Amino acid sequence: MGLAILALPTLLVSFDVFAMLLALPQLSSDLGASSTQQLWIMDMYGFMVGGFLVTMGTLGDRIGRRKLLLIGATVFGLASLLAAFSTTPEMLIAARALLGISGATLAPSTLALISNMFRDPKQMGTAIGIWAGSFSVGAIVGPIVGGALLNHFWWGSVFLIGVPVMLILLLLGPLLLPEYKAPQSGRLDLPSVALSLAAVLPFIYGLKETARHGLHPLPLTALITGLILGTLFIRRQRTLKDPLLDLSLFRDASFGTALVSLLFYSMLTGTAMLFVTEYFQSVQGMSPLAAGLGLLPGMAGSIAGITLSPVLARRIRPAYLIAAGLALVVVGFALMSRAGADGGTGWLVAGWTLNGLGGGPLVSLGTNLVVGSAPPEKAGAAASLSQTGNEFGYGLGIALVGTLGTAVYRHEIAGSLPARLPAPEAAAARESVAGAVSASDTLSGPLAARLLRAAAEAFTGALHTVVGLTAVLLTGVAVLVAVVLRHVPPLGAASPDASGAAGADAGAADGTPELCEAAPESAPVG
């Protein structure tokens, strides 16, 4: 019952993202939001979540994870009400900022509490799989419920969903969730908090602006500023007795490898999803709803992969299970490369489904390795790093891989625009495939058809570049995981002896799982 309570806010986070995408046109019209204000309405939540995750993860370890979760739930519910009844764009942006700050308490607190509630490695792996699968459930439910609400009520109704969810958490959380805080926690270092925010926020802003407009002076300055302040933050952590971020966590090979693998997966597949949905709408002419439905089989595959992988990991070493799953992902992206300008929706749906199914072991078992590699008193900090990696990975993917795909499109379209195309329409077509589709609406039939054909072929080339690069890089990630994490035993098997690498590999060589007793409060989990 406690796990069900912890899954609710996790489901709500992804629900909010997808429902917000549907509500944006209607709320922008009602509030009179400019294009810049629309971007801030969408981005403010992610900015605040990314900026506060590390702080909230460590804060929960020190003041109590359940306490922080309930405080965050209270603020999230109130901010949802504020967002639902906003009367100006500025008011909604402020509400989204509060939602982001309070939302940063949810993922690390819930994930860290799971590590306290389920001490047996098998149970913990299954619980984390259910927790991670809740994100995919929210992604499926979000467009469906959000669309139904928007068809019958005003745009603010999508925010009100968060209120009863948080009320359930506030009522049942104190009864079903245990409290935990580090027994010898020091004071929160406020200068480190300030440095963390000052490093993360401009860096995320720089990534997003670079993805949208290219590497102009302002986003470049933001990126450099974030890197400089991030370096100062790391140096300060090395000098503190009780750092905000314990850098010693990265000495564990399982922790670092799982974290890097999750970051690359988020970076590559998040960008690919944007190109797939753009192909559905701009090349195949599908509606936004139909494009969203095209992703649902992949979401269902993700739920299956995430929830089944902890069960399989009781017999198969996580390294081999994750590597095999990533091999399936690579096959999926190979299928996606068969999509053409004339058609290919089926290839993309099939490939995206394999991606969801094959990525499940990495998401579930990788998260388990990140949290399980940390001692109990650091579980909140470890959980926050896992979620921060996802935020940074998605931003890096859009800025790097997305920019590459855009460059390929612009190179292809430049040499294939039809003759006698008016300058404004040509400029719009060079900017993006969506611009080409909009420009075609102002042209005569034959000229519009030639423009759409050229744009479709150019964007298909860009899509092939993105999915091909994704397949190559994820192959490298699969090899990395299989080699570096091969010593990690199946879930619940006897842990390898830490005294020597030979003993580590021999400890579970026969693959026979052995049940472990629940770890004491002071012992590491994993």
Side-chain angles (χ1 to χ4, degrees):
M1 292 178 67
L3 178 60
I5 294 298
L6 292 177
L8 279 176
T10 307
L11 183 150
L12 182 64
V13 169
S14 54
F15 173 94
D16 177 79
V17 171
F18 284 87
M20 186 67 197
L21 289 172
L22 295 176
L24 186 62
Q26 186 177 336
L27 70 86
S28 299
S29 176
D30 289 352
L31 298 180
S34 65
S35 58
T36 301
Q37 288 171 329
Q38 291 178 41
L39 291 176
W40 279 110
I41 289 170
M42 286 300 302
D43 289 346
M44 183 57 75
Y45 181 86
F47 281 159
M48 294 295 105
V49 169
F52 279 90
L53 271 171
V54 171
T55 298
M56 294 303 181
T58 303
L59 183 62
D61 290 338
R62 299 188 179 188
I63 71 170
R65 293 162 187 167
R66 186 182 68 185
K67 178 188 291 186
L68 182 64
L69 176 62
L70 297 180
I71 292 173
T74 301
V75 177
F76 196 97
L78 294 175
S80 297
L81 287 172
L82 180 64
F85 296 101
S86 294
T87 56
T88 65
E90 293 80 7
M91 184 177 175
L92 182 55
I93 292 170
R96 294 280 290 169
L98 287 175
L99 285 170
I101 295 172
S102 56
T105 69
L106 301 179
S109 296
T110 52
L111 188 52
L113 282 170
I114 285 175
S115 71
N116 298 131
M117 295 164 61
F118 300 95
R119 307 300 299 178
D120 179 82
K122 291 182 179 180
Q123 293 182 347
M124 179 175 163
T126 301
I128 289 179
I130 294 172
W131 175 88
S134 299
F135 284 104
S136 297
V137 173
I140 292 175
V141 173
I144 298 173
V145 176
L149 289 172
L150 291 170
N151 282 338
H152 296 89
F153 305 101
W154 93 115
W155 56 265
S157 59
V158 299
F159 292 106
L160 294 180
I161 291 294
V163 178
V165 171
M166 294 307 164
L167 282 176
I168 293 173
L169 179 57
L170 290 172
L171 290 174
L172 299 182
L175 302 176
L176 299 174
L177 303 177
E179 181 58 287
Y180 179 92
K181 64 179 179 179
Q184 296 178 340
S185 57
R187 294 170 56 187
L188 191 68
D189 184 57
L190 295 181
S192 293
V193 173
L195 276 174
S196 171
L197 294 174
V200 172
L201 293 179
F203 192 79
I204 294 178
Y205 171 80
L207 288 177
K208 287 181 176 287
E209 289 301 303
T210 299
R212 288 188 183 122
H213 307 298
L215 201 58
H216 295 298
L218 182 58
L220 179 60
T221 301
L223 287 172
I224 294 174
T225 300
L227 289 173
I228 293 173
L229 293 175
T231 302
L232 294 176
F233 171 79
I234 291 173
R235 287 184 176 179
R236 181 172 179 82
Q237 303 316 294
R238 289 174 175 167
T239 64
L240 296 175
K241 180 181 178 182
D242 294 301
L244 181 68
L245 176 61
D246 188 356
L247 299 178
S248 66
L249 292 172
F250 291 92
R251 297 173 187 166
D252 188 294
S254 299
F255 179 90
T257 303
L259 198 61
V260 169
S261 301
L262 287 167
L263 184 144
F264 267 87
Y265 184 74
S266 174
M267 179 179 79
L268 296 168
T269 59
T271 307
M273 183 178 71
L274 288 181
F275 275 77
V276 169
T277 54
E278 188 69 43
Y279 176 91
F280 283 159
Q281 296 180 72
S282 297
V283 177
Q284 296 301 317
M286 298 168 64
S287 68
L289 178 59
L293 292 175
L295 297 177
L296 288 186
M299 299 296 183
S302 178
I303 294 173
I306 287 172
T307 52
L308 289 177
S309 55
V311 178
L312 296 175
R314 297 176 183 180
R315 296 285 178 179
I316 306 171
R317 294 197 175 210
Y320 303 145
L321 193 57
I322 293 173
L326 289 176
L328 189 62
V329 173
V330 170
V331 171
F333 278 96
L335 292 179
M336 292 162 68
S337 68
R338 296 180 64 89
D342 295 320
T345 300
W347 290 116
L348 291 182
V349 172
W352 193 251
T353 302
L354 291 181
N355 166 65
L357 182 63
L362 174 59
V363 174
S364 179
L365 302 178
T367 303
N368 185 42
L369 284 169
V370 169
V371 178
S373 298
E377 64 272 13
K378 301 289 184 181
S384 70
L385 287 174
S386 172
Q387 297 304 305
T388 302
N390 288 336
E391 291 289 333
F392 273 109
Y394 183 74
L396 281 171
I398 300 300
L400 300 178
V401 183
T403 299
L404 174 63
T406 301
V408 171
Y409 167 80
R410 290 173 178 171
H411 175 76
E412 295 285 338
I413 195 69
S416 58
L417 288 174
R420 298 187 301 277
L421 186 67
E425 282 73 14
R430 292 190 192 97
E431 183 65 25
S432 67
V433 65
V437 173
S438 298
S440 68
D441 294 336
T442 66
L443 302 173
S444 60
L447 187 59
R450 291 200 298 273
L451 174 60
L452 288 175
R453 178 67 183 181
E457 292 179 348
F459 188 80
T460 301
L463 174 68
H464 290 168
T465 300
V466 170
V467 299
L469 178 63
T470 297
V472 170
L473 292 179
L474 286 181
T475 300
V477 173
V479 173
L480 174 70
V481 170
V483 172
V484 178
L485 300 181
R486 66 184 185 278
H487 67 281
V488 179
L491 294 182
S495 298
D497 193 317
S499 61
D505 280 334
D510 62 357
T512 305
E514 297 178 16
L515 285 175
C516 301
E517 294 183 1
E521 278 299 309
S522 59
V525 181

Short mmCIF file of all heavy atoms in Angstrom, two decimals, residues 295-326:
data_model
loop_
_atom_site.label_atom_id
_atom_site.label_comp_id
_atom_site.label_asym_id
_atom_site.label_seq_id
_atom_site.Cartn_x
_atom_site.Cartn_y
_atom_site.Cartn_z
N LEU A 295 2.73 6.74 -30.40
CA LEU A 295 3.76 6.46 -29.41
C LEU A 295 3.29 5.51 -28.32
O LEU A 295 4.11 5.01 -27.54
CB LEU A 295 4.24 7.76 -28.76
CG LEU A 295 4.92 8.79 -29.68
CD1 LEU A 295 5.25 10.04 -28.89
CD2 LEU A 295 6.17 8.22 -30.32
N LEU A 296 1.98 5.29 -28.22
CA LEU A 296 1.44 4.47 -27.12
C LEU A 296 1.97 3.04 -27.09
O LEU A 296 2.26 2.52 -26.01
CB LEU A 296 -0.09 4.47 -27.17
CG LEU A 296 -0.78 5.78 -26.77
CD1 LEU A 296 -2.29 5.59 -26.72
CD2 LEU A 296 -0.27 6.29 -25.42
N PRO A 297 2.12 2.35 -28.24
CA PRO A 297 2.70 1.01 -28.16
C PRO A 297 4.10 1.02 -27.53
O PRO A 297 4.46 0.08 -26.81
CB PRO A 297 2.74 0.55 -29.62
CG PRO A 297 1.65 1.32 -30.28
CD PRO A 297 1.66 2.66 -29.61
N GLY A 298 4.87 2.05 -27.82
CA GLY A 298 6.19 2.15 -27.20
C GLY A 298 6.11 2.35 -25.70
O GLY A 298 6.91 1.79 -24.94
N MET A 299 5.13 3.15 -25.26
CA MET A 299 4.94 3.35 -23.82
C MET A 299 4.52 2.04 -23.15
O MET A 299 4.98 1.71 -22.06
CB MET A 299 3.87 4.42 -23.58
CG MET A 299 4.20 5.79 -24.16
SD MET A 299 5.66 6.53 -23.40
CE MET A 299 5.68 8.11 -24.25
N ALA A 300 3.63 1.30 -23.82
CA ALA A 300 3.21 0.01 -23.27
C ALA A 300 4.39 -0.96 -23.20
O ALA A 300 4.56 -1.70 -22.23
CB ALA A 300 2.09 -0.58 -24.13
N GLY A 301 5.23 -0.95 -24.25
CA GLY A 301 6.43 -1.78 -24.22
C GLY A 301 7.36 -1.39 -23.09
O GLY A 301 8.00 -2.24 -22.46
N SER A 302 7.44 -0.09 -22.83
CA SER A 302 8.29 0.39 -21.74
C SER A 302 7.79 -0.12 -20.39
O SER A 302 8.59 -0.56 -19.55
CB SER A 302 8.32 1.92 -21.75
OG SER A 302 9.09 2.42 -20.68
N ILE A 303 6.48 -0.08 -20.18
CA ILE A 303 5.93 -0.59 -18.93
C ILE A 303 6.27 -2.07 -18.77
O ILE A 303 6.67 -2.52 -17.68
CB ILE A 303 4.40 -0.38 -18.91
CG1 ILE A 303 4.07 1.12 -18.86
CG2 ILE A 303 3.78 -1.07 -17.70
CD1 ILE A 303 2.60 1.42 -19.01
N ALA A 304 6.11 -2.83 -19.86
CA ALA A 304 6.41 -4.27 -19.79
C ALA A 304 7.88 -4.51 -19.48
O ALA A 304 8.23 -5.33 -18.62
CB ALA A 304 6.01 -4.94 -21.11
N GLY A 305 8.76 -3.80 -20.17
CA GLY A 305 10.19 -3.99 -19.96
C GLY A 305 10.64 -3.59 -18.57
O GLY A 305 11.46 -4.27 -17.94
N ILE A 306 10.09 -2.49 -18.07
CA ILE A 306 10.50 -1.98 -16.76
C ILE A 306 10.03 -2.91 -15.65
O ILE A 306 10.77 -3.17 -14.68
CB ILE A 306 9.94 -0.55 -16.56
CG1 ILE A 306 10.71 0.44 -17.43
CG2 ILE A 306 10.02 -0.13 -15.10
CD1 ILE A 306 10.12 1.83 -17.45
N THR A 307 8.81 -3.41 -15.75
CA THR A 307 8.27 -4.23 -14.67
C THR A 307 8.76 -5.69 -14.71
O THR A 307 8.87 -6.33 -13.67
CB THR A 307 6.73 -4.22 -14.71
OG1 THR A 307 6.29 -4.58 -16.04
CG2 THR A 307 6.19 -2.84 -14.38
N LEU A 308 9.06 -6.21 -15.91
CA LEU A 308 9.51 -7.60 -16.01
C LEU A 308 11.01 -7.75 -15.74
O LEU A 308 11.45 -8.81 -15.28
CB LEU A 308 9.20 -8.15 -17.41
CG LEU A 308 7.73 -8.42 -17.73
CD1 LEU A 308 7.58 -8.89 -19.17
CD2 LEU A 308 7.16 -9.46 -16.77
N SER A 309 11.80 -6.72 -16.02
CA SER A 309 13.25 -6.87 -15.90
C SER A 309 13.71 -7.20 -14.48
O SER A 309 14.64 -8.01 -14.32
CB SER A 309 13.95 -5.61 -16.42
OG SER A 309 13.49 -4.45 -15.78
N PRO A 310 13.12 -6.65 -13.39
CA PRO A 310 13.58 -7.08 -12.06
C PRO A 310 13.33 -8.56 -11.79
O PRO A 310 14.10 -9.20 -11.05
CB PRO A 310 12.76 -6.19 -11.11
CG PRO A 310 12.37 -5.01 -11.91
CD PRO A 310 12.15 -5.54 -13.28
N VAL A 311 12.27 -9.12 -12.37
CA VAL A 311 12.00 -10.55 -12.19
C VAL A 311 13.05 -11.37 -12.93
O VAL A 311 13.60 -12.34 -12.40
CB VAL A 311 10.58 -10.89 -12.69
CG1 VAL A 311 10.32 -12.39 -12.54
CG2 VAL A 311 9.54 -10.08 -11.92
N LEU A 312 13.35 -10.98 -14.17
CA LEU A 312 14.36 -11.69 -14.94
C LEU A 312 15.74 -11.54 -14.31
O LEU A 312 16.58 -12.46 -14.39
CB LEU A 312 14.40 -11.16 -16.38
CG LEU A 312 13.14 -11.39 -17.21
CD1 LEU A 312 13.27 -10.72 -18.57
CD2 LEU A 312 12.86 -12.88 -17.38
N ALA A 313 15.98 -10.38 -13.66
CA ALA A 313 17.29 -10.12 -13.06
C ALA A 313 17.56 -10.99 -11.83
O ALA A 313 18.67 -10.96 -11.30
CB ALA A 313 17.42 -8.64 -12.69
N ARG A 314 16.57 -11.75 -11.38
CA ARG A 314 16.82 -12.69 -10.29
C ARG A 314 17.60 -13.91 -10.77
O ARG A 314 18.19 -14.64 -9.97
CB ARG A 314 15.49 -13.13 -9.68
CG ARG A 314 14.70 -11.99 -9.05
CD ARG A 314 13.34 -12.46 -8.55
NE ARG A 314 12.56 -11.35 -8.01
CZ ARG A 314 11.34 -11.48 -7.50
NH1 ARG A 314 10.76 -12.67 -7.48
NH2 ARG A 314 10.69 -10.42 -7.04
N ARG A 315 17.59 -14.15 -12.09
CA ARG A 315 18.29 -15.28 -12.68
C ARG A 315 19.43 -14.85 -13.60
O ARG A 315 20.37 -15.61 -13.80
CB ARG A 315 17.30 -16.14 -13.47
CG ARG A 315 16.22 -16.78 -12.63
CD ARG A 315 16.77 -17.95 -11.84
NE ARG A 315 15.76 -18.56 -10.98
CZ ARG A 315 15.99 -19.61 -10.21
NH1 ARG A 315 17.19 -20.16 -10.18
NH2 ARG A 315 15.03 -20.11 -9.44
N ILE A 316 19.30 -13.66 -14.17
CA ILE A 316 20.28 -13.18 -15.15
C ILE A 316 20.99 -11.96 -14.55
O ILE A 316 20.36 -11.08 -13.97
CB ILE A 316 19.59 -12.79 -16.47
CG1 ILE A 316 18.75 -13.96 -17.00
CG2 ILE A 316 20.60 -12.35 -17.51
CD1 ILE A 316 17.87 -13.59 -18.17
N ARG A 317 22.29 -11.89 -14.73
CA ARG A 317 23.03 -10.74 -14.22
C ARG A 317 22.54 -9.45 -14.87
O ARG A 317 22.29 -9.41 -16.09
CB ARG A 317 24.52 -10.92 -14.47
CG ARG A 317 25.12 -12.08 -13.67
CD ARG A 317 26.62 -12.00 -13.62
NE ARG A 317 27.13 -13.05 -12.75
CZ ARG A 317 28.25 -12.94 -12.04
NH1 ARG A 317 28.96 -11.83 -12.10
NH2 ARG A 317 28.66 -13.94 -11.28
N PRO A 318 22.38 -8.38 -14.09
CA PRO A 318 21.87 -7.11 -14.64
C PRO A 318 22.65 -6.62 -15.85
O PRO A 318 22.06 -6.08 -16.79
CB PRO A 318 21.99 -6.15 -13.46
CG PRO A 318 21.90 -7.02 -12.25
CD PRO A 318 22.57 -8.30 -12.62
N ALA A 319 23.99 -6.78 -15.84
CA ALA A 319 24.79 -6.29 -16.96
C ALA A 319 24.36 -6.94 -18.28
O ALA A 319 24.21 -6.26 -19.30
CB ALA A 319 26.28 -6.58 -16.70
N TYR A 320 24.15 -8.24 -18.25
CA TYR A 320 23.78 -8.95 -19.47
C TYR A 320 22.34 -8.65 -19.87
O TYR A 320 22.02 -8.58 -21.06
CB TYR A 320 23.99 -10.45 -19.28
CG TYR A 320 25.41 -10.81 -18.88
CD1 TYR A 320 25.67 -11.87 -18.01
CD2 TYR A 320 26.49 -10.07 -19.36
CE1 TYR A 320 26.97 -12.18 -17.64
CE2 TYR A 320 27.79 -10.38 -18.98
CZ TYR A 320 28.02 -11.43 -18.12
OH TYR A 320 29.31 -11.74 -17.76
N LEU A 321 21.48 -8.49 -18.89
CA LEU A 321 20.08 -8.18 -19.18
C LEU A 321 19.96 -6.77 -19.78
O LEU A 321 19.23 -6.55 -20.76
CB LEU A 321 19.25 -8.29 -17.91
CG LEU A 321 17.72 -8.31 -18.06
CD1 LEU A 321 17.29 -9.43 -18.97
CD2 LEU A 321 17.06 -8.44 -16.70
N ILE A 322 20.68 -5.82 -19.21
CA ILE A 322 20.65 -4.44 -19.74
C ILE A 322 21.24 -4.41 -21.14
O ILE A 322 20.70 -3.77 -22.05
CB ILE A 322 21.42 -3.49 -18.79
CG1 ILE A 322 20.68 -3.35 -17.46
CG2 ILE A 322 21.59 -2.11 -19.45
CD1 ILE A 322 21.46 -2.57 -16.42
N ALA A 323 22.39 -5.10 -21.33
CA ALA A 323 23.03 -5.11 -22.65
C ALA A 323 22.13 -5.75 -23.70
O ALA A 323 22.02 -5.26 -24.84
CB ALA A 323 24.37 -5.85 -22.57
N ALA A 324 21.46 -6.84 -23.34
CA ALA A 324 20.54 -7.49 -24.29
C ALA A 324 19.37 -6.56 -24.61
O ALA A 324 18.92 -6.49 -25.77
CB ALA A 324 20.03 -8.80 -23.70
N GLY A 325 18.86 -5.86 -23.59
CA GLY A 325 17.79 -4.91 -23.85
C GLY A 325 18.22 -3.80 -24.78
O GLY A 325 17.48 -3.41 -25.70
N LEU A 326 19.42 -3.27 -24.59
CA LEU A 326 19.92 -2.21 -25.46
C LEU A 326 20.14 -2.73 -26.88
O LEU A 326 19.97 -1.98 -27.86
CB LEU A 326 21.21 -1.63 -24.90
CG LEU A 326 21.04 -0.78 -23.63
CD1 LEU A 326 22.40 -0.32 -23.11
CD2 LEU A 326 20.16 0.43 -23.89
#
